[in-house]
Amino acid sequence: MTKHSYLLGIDVGSSSIKVSAIEASTGNLAGATVSPEQEMSMQALKPGWAEQDPDLWWEHVVTATQKLLENTDITKDDVAAIGISYQMHGLVVVDKNKRVLRPSIIWCDSRAADIGEKAFHNIGPEKCLHNYLNSPGNFTASKLRWVKENEPELYHKIHKIMLPGDFIAMKLTNRICTTHSGLSEGILWNFKENKLARDILDTYAIDEELIPEALNSFGDHGELTAEAAEEIGLKKGTKVTYRAGDQPNNAFSLNVLNPGEVAATAGTSGVIYGITDSLGYDEKSRVNTFVHVNHTAEQNRYGVLLCINGTGILNSWLRKQFSIESTLTYSQMNELAGQASIGSDGLKILPFGNGSERIFENKEIGAQVHGLNFNRHDKTHFLRAAQEGIVFSLYYGFQIMQDMGLTLDTVRAGHANMFLSPLFRDAFVNTTGTRLELYNTDGAQGAARAAGVGAGIYSSHEEAFESLKKIDLLEPQPEKRKLYLDAYQNWLNTLQSNL
C-alpha cells in the first residue's frame, strides 16, 4: 500500500448515486461526488408501483466517478479497489447479452405483496419462518414471480436476475454474481442450511439457472474491463472487492458488526438495523432478518431490519411543495420545523405514502394528515409534524424489535440525511429513549473501507475503522421524553384508528 493508494466506494441509492474515495493509509475522506444534482425520479405507472432504469444508474455512476477524479488529485492508477453499496430488494433482469429487459422493480414497489402472502401460506408460515426467517413478502423473489405471471414473453428471455448492486458490478466487470447476503434480502436464502432456498424457487416455479453465483460480501468480485475502465475513467484490472445492500453496508460503515450493536439511517427510507447471532424472527414478518456482511458458517451474524418506506421522501416532497415562491433548503426546513413546539400543536402526519409498509404486514395505508386547523397551523407545524411522524413510525417498529429480544440501548448513525436535523435527532433520542452516537461517515465511505478489507489492504475490520470518529453523543432528557411520549401516544391513537 502506497501513500497515494485510494479506495473507492459507490453507493447506488434510489435518489442519487454517491461516489467517495478514502486514502487507504489514513482512512481520511479524499473526495465525494453525487449525481444527479437533483434527486432521481421513480416511475409509478400504476398505484403502488415504483421502477427505475438500471442503465440510468450506470450513467450516474460514470458521471459521479468522472467528477470525483476531476475534482481531486486522484488518478486512475491510484485506485486500489472498489466497493459497492446499493438500494436493497430491487429486481434487475438481463438477457444473454447482458442487456436490461425491463425497468427495475425497486424496493418500495408493492405489486408483489399478494404473491408473497400467498406463497407464505402455501409453503407454510412455520416452515418459512424457521428456514427463511421471513415471509416471501414483497421481496425480490416475489417480484420475479410477478414478472413470470404478468410478462411471460419477457420472462422467457431472462438469462439472469440481479439486485441493483449486482448490476453495477456486472457493468464494471462483465461478471454476473451476487452475495449470500443479497440472496437473503431477496428471500432466497435458507438460514438453517446456509444455502439457496430452493423451496421458494419451486413454489414460484423459477428456474435455478436464473440465480447468479453467490459470493461472500468481501473478496474478489471481478476486475474492471477495458470498456468499463475507459468509460468510467479508472484503470483496467482494478478489483471490485465488496458488495452489500445499503442497510447492511450502513451498519458496516458504522462498525456495527457484533451482537447488540445497532445502526440507523434516515434517507429516502428510515431504517433501524440490529445485529444478532441467533436465528430469530417476527411471527408477522413486520421486521426482517438478513445475512450480515461479516457472517460466516463459524461465526453467525444476522441483521434484523426495521424499515419505514416513507422517511426522507416525505421531507423531499414537502420541500418541493413549500418551495413554490422560493427555494427552500433542508437546513431552512429544519430551522422552521424547530419553531413549532413538541407535538406540533396537535397536527399529526402518518408518513406512509411510499408503498406498502412491512410493519403493517405489507398493507398500503397511504400518507395521511390529521388534526389540521387552518387557524392554528402553518408551515412550521407541518414540517415538524413530518419529522415527528417519521420518528414515531420508527419507534413503533422499534418496539417490535425489542419484543424479539434485541437490546437497543445505543444507536449509531452517520451525520447525514435526516440525522443532520437537530430536531430529528432530538425527537429520535427522546422518543426511543436511546443514546445516539453520530459518526463522520456515510454509505459510500463505508463501501470504500469495505473494499480495503475485501482487497486485503486492511488486515482486519479493526484496522479499517481506526479513522472512524464519533462526532457527537446525544442522550435522552427525562422532561423532554415525557413530552415526546405524550405526543407519540396521540399519534399512535390516530394510527390505530386508521389501520
Side-chain angles (χ1 to χ4, degrees):
M1 182 174 69
T2 67
K3 181 181 178 183
H4 298 294
S5 179
Y6 294 89
L7 302 166
L8 204 69
I10 300 171
D11 188 10
V12 183
S14 48
S15 297
S16 63
I17 309 298
K18 185 170 187 178
V19 177
S20 294
I22 64 170
E23 188 176 4
S25 60
T26 65
N28 293 333
L29 181 66
T33 52
V34 174
S35 183
E37 293 183 6
Q38 299 297 320
E39 294 158 352
M40 285 190 293
S41 62
M42 302 178 191
Q43 285 69 53
L45 300 179
K46 294 183 179 180
W49 288 23
E51 298 182 343
Q52 287 182 323
D53 180 3
D55 288 321
L56 186 62
W57 300 333
W58 173 245
E59 287 178 24
H60 288 301
V61 168
V62 171
T63 300
T65 307
Q66 290 177 347
K67 281 168 58 179
L68 179 73
L69 296 173
E70 291 168 5
N71 296 340
T72 65
D73 295 328
I74 301 170
T75 71
K76 63 182 181 179
D77 294 323
D78 298 332
V79 177
I82 300 170
I84 300 169
S85 167
Y86 60 88
Q87 51 171 297
M88 297 172 71
H89 314 305
L91 173 67
V92 180
V93 294
V94 298
D95 65 14
K96 289 181 179 179
N97 296 314
K98 300 185 174 72
R99 291 179 301 203
V100 175
L101 290 169
R102 69 169 332 279
S104 173
I105 303 174
I106 66 171
W107 59 277
C108 55
D109 187 295
S110 307
R111 74 184 72 180
D114 289 344
I115 290 173
E117 185 65 17
K118 182 179 178 182
F120 185 53
H121 291 289
N122 286 346
I123 296 171
E126 184 175 349
K127 184 174 182 179
C128 277
L129 294 174
H130 278 83
N131 288 281
Y132 318 128
L133 307 187
N134 303 284
S135 159
N138 189 43
F139 295 106
T140 313
S142 300
K143 290 168 182 172
L144 179 58
R145 176 64 193 186
W146 183 93
V147 173
K148 183 179 176 71
E149 289 181 6
N150 293 274
E151 300 172 347
E153 290 186 11
L154 183 147
Y155 177 85
H156 290 299
K157 296 177 183 177
I158 298 174
H159 172 59
K160 294 290 180 184
I161 72 161
M162 288 178 278
L163 296 159
D166 302 334
F167 172 76
I168 295 302
M170 182 200 77
K171 295 292 288 186
L172 292 168
T173 66
N174 202 38
R175 180 182 181 185
I176 297 179
C177 55
T178 190
T179 63
H180 303 126
S181 181
L183 288 178
S184 76
E185 75 180 69
I187 319 301
L188 285 166
W189 185 253
N190 187 316
F191 287 79
K192 288 278 190 181
E193 299 179 4
N194 251 0
K195 65 181 184 181
L196 182 67
R198 290 185 172 84
D199 284 344
I200 297 285
L201 297 179
D202 291 344
T203 297
Y204 283 158
I206 290 169
D207 189 341
E208 187 177 330
E209 291 299 312
L210 299 184
I211 311 301
E213 171 193 14
L215 310 173
N216 292 326
S217 295
F218 301 92
D220 184 0
H221 292 190
E223 300 179 352
L224 255 63
T225 63
E227 181 183 1
E230 182 177 358
E231 191 170 359
I232 206 168
L234 296 175
K235 183 175 64 176
K236 177 189 174 188
T238 304
K239 288 186 177 295
V240 177
T241 56
Y242 169 79
R243 191 181 327 168
D246 51 10
Q247 300 313 322
N249 177 72
N250 179 64
F252 176 84
S253 306
L254 295 159
N255 197 19
V256 170
L257 296 167
N258 297 305
E261 296 174 343
V262 184
T265 185
T268 303
S269 63
V271 167
I272 309 290
Y273 186 94
I275 307 303
T276 180
D277 57 2
S278 60
L279 293 174
Y281 55 83
D282 171 54
E283 289 188 357
K284 297 181 179 178
S285 214
R286 295 167 298 176
V287 299
N288 302 101
T289 304
F290 304 117
V291 172
H292 195 35
V293 294
N294 61 330
H295 172 82
T296 65
E298 297 76 31
Q299 180 176 272
N300 295 336
R301 292 293 182 267
Y302 307 109
V304 179
L305 185 151
L306 153 71
C307 180
I308 305 296
N309 287 357
T311 302
I313 193 169
L314 167 60
N315 221 28
S316 170
W317 184 85
L318 287 174
R319 179 172 177 252
K320 292 170 186 171
Q321 309 315 312
F322 287 159
S323 296
I324 295 170
E325 296 178 2
S326 62
T327 301
L328 197 63
T329 66
Y330 287 118
S331 180
Q332 289 170 330
M333 289 170 64
N334 296 334
E335 193 174 320
L336 285 168
Q339 294 175 18
S341 60
I342 294 172
S344 309
D345 197 13
L347 182 65
K348 298 174 283 290
I349 294 181
L350 307 182
F352 308 117
N354 194 28
S356 60
E357 294 283 359
R358 296 179 216 170
I359 58 168
F360 304 134
E361 300 175 60
N362 285 319
K363 290 187 182 120
E364 188 169 355
I365 68 171
Q368 302 174 33
V369 178
H370 292 268
L372 177 61
N373 186 308
F374 298 139
N375 299 311
R376 294 179 63 85
H377 296 133
D378 58 23
K379 186 184 297 184
T380 66
H381 297 97
F382 237 97
L383 294 172
R384 181 173 195 117
Q387 295 201 27
E388 288 183 343
I390 293 163
V391 168
F392 294 162
S393 303
L394 289 168
Y395 185 51
Y396 180 89
F398 206 76
Q399 294 171 86
I400 300 171
M401 297 178 75
Q402 288 178 317
D403 290 343
M404 288 177 62
L406 272 78
T407 302
L408 302 168
D409 296 328
T410 301
V411 175
R412 300 178 196 170
H415 192 234
N417 299 316
M418 295 201 70
F419 281 104
L420 292 169
S421 165
L423 186 154
F424 187 84
R425 298 194 299 264
D426 185 67
F428 183 88
V429 166
N430 287 294
T431 302
T432 63
T434 60
R435 293 156 46 99
L436 176 64
E437 297 178 351
L438 290 175
Y439 289 84
N440 62 333
T441 191
D442 59 22
Q445 290 181 58
R449 278 192 174 90
V453 174
I457 292 169
Y458 297 132
S459 60
S460 65
H461 294 129
E462 289 76 17
E463 184 182 354
F465 289 107
E466 285 178 355
S467 62
L468 185 68
K469 304 297 182 187
K470 181 165 60 179
I471 60 176
D472 204 355
L473 170 64
L474 293 86
E475 300 194 58
Q477 300 168 271
E479 292 180 4
K480 271 192 175 180
R481 180 143 207 250
K482 183 180 184 309
L483 293 173
Y484 274 110
L485 287 178
D486 287 344
Y488 171 74
Q489 189 59 52
N490 290 333
W491 179 92
L492 180 62
N493 292 340
T494 299
L495 171 65
Q496 290 175 334
S497 66
N498 286 276
L499 282 178

